[in-house]
């Protein structure tokens, strides 16, 4: 079993695995026991570095057999594409309401995290992550997200003996006009 994650209700886990002679797929395993219930077709893989079960426990973004990232229903329904997700971008977290996915492009420095509305596809720049001195940093993995949709930490393989401090900066909002009374 290469991956498992708790569903938000704490009563079941989402498991990635496969049987002998079968491709990888997702299963739900209830804590009360019994057989695991398949919730995806074979050939579906979860996103690396993430625990992306939606806050309501109904969806998980995953890579399908065609290498397209889609939202898979944990009730076994049909997957749907994520509108607004650009080629090369991968989800890395949900907002607390489950309406927005945080996405990033692996390998980019700075690691730019954007917000994508899962219904409309509307993107919005959100956060840039970059060490003060990027020497020896080949990539920045996305941060794990807390239950409230905030990044909690991030990681990077370091190829330099010097200490590195990672800084996060919010992408500034567009300028606003000030109204005088």
């Amino acid at each position: 079993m290469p991956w498992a994650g708790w569903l938000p209700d704490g009563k079941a886990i989402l498991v990635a695995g496969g049987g002998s002679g079968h491709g990888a797929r997702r299963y739900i395993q209830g804590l009360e026991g019994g057989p695991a219930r398949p919730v995806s077709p074979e050939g579906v893989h979860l996103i690396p570095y993430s625990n992306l079960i939606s806050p309501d426990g109904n969806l998980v973004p995953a890579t399908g057999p065609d290498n397209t990232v889609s939202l898979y229903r944990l009730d076994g329904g049909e997957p749907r594409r994520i509108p607004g997700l650009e080629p090369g971008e991968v989800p890395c977290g949900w907002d607390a309401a489950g309406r927005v996915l945080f996405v990033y492009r692996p390998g980019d420095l700075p690691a730019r995290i954007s917000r994508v509305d899962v219904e409309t596809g509307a993107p919005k720049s959100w956060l840039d992550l970059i060490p003060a001195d990027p020497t020896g940093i080949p990539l920045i993995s996305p941060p794990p997200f807390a239950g409230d949709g905030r990044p909690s930490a991030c990681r990077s393989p370091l190829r330099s003996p010097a200490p590195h401090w990672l800084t996060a900066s919010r992408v500034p909002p567009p300028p606003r006009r000030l109204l005088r009374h």
Side-chain angles (χ1 to χ4, degrees):
M1 173 184 353
W3 185 93
W6 287 101
L7 269 66
D9 65 7
K11 296 179 182 177
I13 57 174
L14 177 66
V15 179
S20 178
H22 295 281
R25 66 190 303 180
R26 305 314 99 202
Y27 298 87
I28 298 262
Q29 176 65 60
L31 295 183
E32 71 281 351
R37 177 175 52 89
V39 295
S40 77
E42 289 185 19
V44 174
H45 300 277
L46 295 169
I47 310 296
Y49 308 113
S50 64
N51 180 0
L52 289 176
I53 299 166
S54 63
D56 64 7
N58 292 325
L59 299 168
V60 65
T63 305
D66 63 354
N67 287 324
T68 299
V69 177
S70 297
L71 290 174
Y72 285 80
R73 297 193 53 78
L74 296 183
D75 64 7
E78 288 297 312
R80 67 180 169 94
R81 292 190 185 255
I82 302 168
L85 190 67
E86 297 291 328
E89 289 181 330
V90 293
C92 58
W94 289 92
D95 75 337
R99 291 190 296 263
V100 170
L101 270 173
F102 297 98
V103 302
Y104 87 114
R105 189 177 306 274
D108 282 2
L109 282 177
R112 177 159 288 143
I113 299 174
S114 299
R115 299 167 46 97
V116 175
D117 184 298
V118 296
E119 296 300 323
T120 67
K124 180 180 178 185
S125 294
W126 185 65
L127 184 71
D128 287 347
L129 298 172
I130 185 79
D133 177 5
T135 305
I137 304 290
L139 64 95
I140 297 173
S141 298
F145 282 78
D148 60 2
R150 292 185 301 166
S152 55
C154 61
R155 53 193 174 252
S156 173
L158 182 61
R159 295 187 182 155
S160 169
H164 284 72
W165 298 102
L166 193 68
T167 59
S169 61
R170 296 238 185 248
V171 176
R176 296 182 189 177
R177 289 187 155 175
L178 297 176
L179 300 176
R180 294 183 187 230
H181 295 283

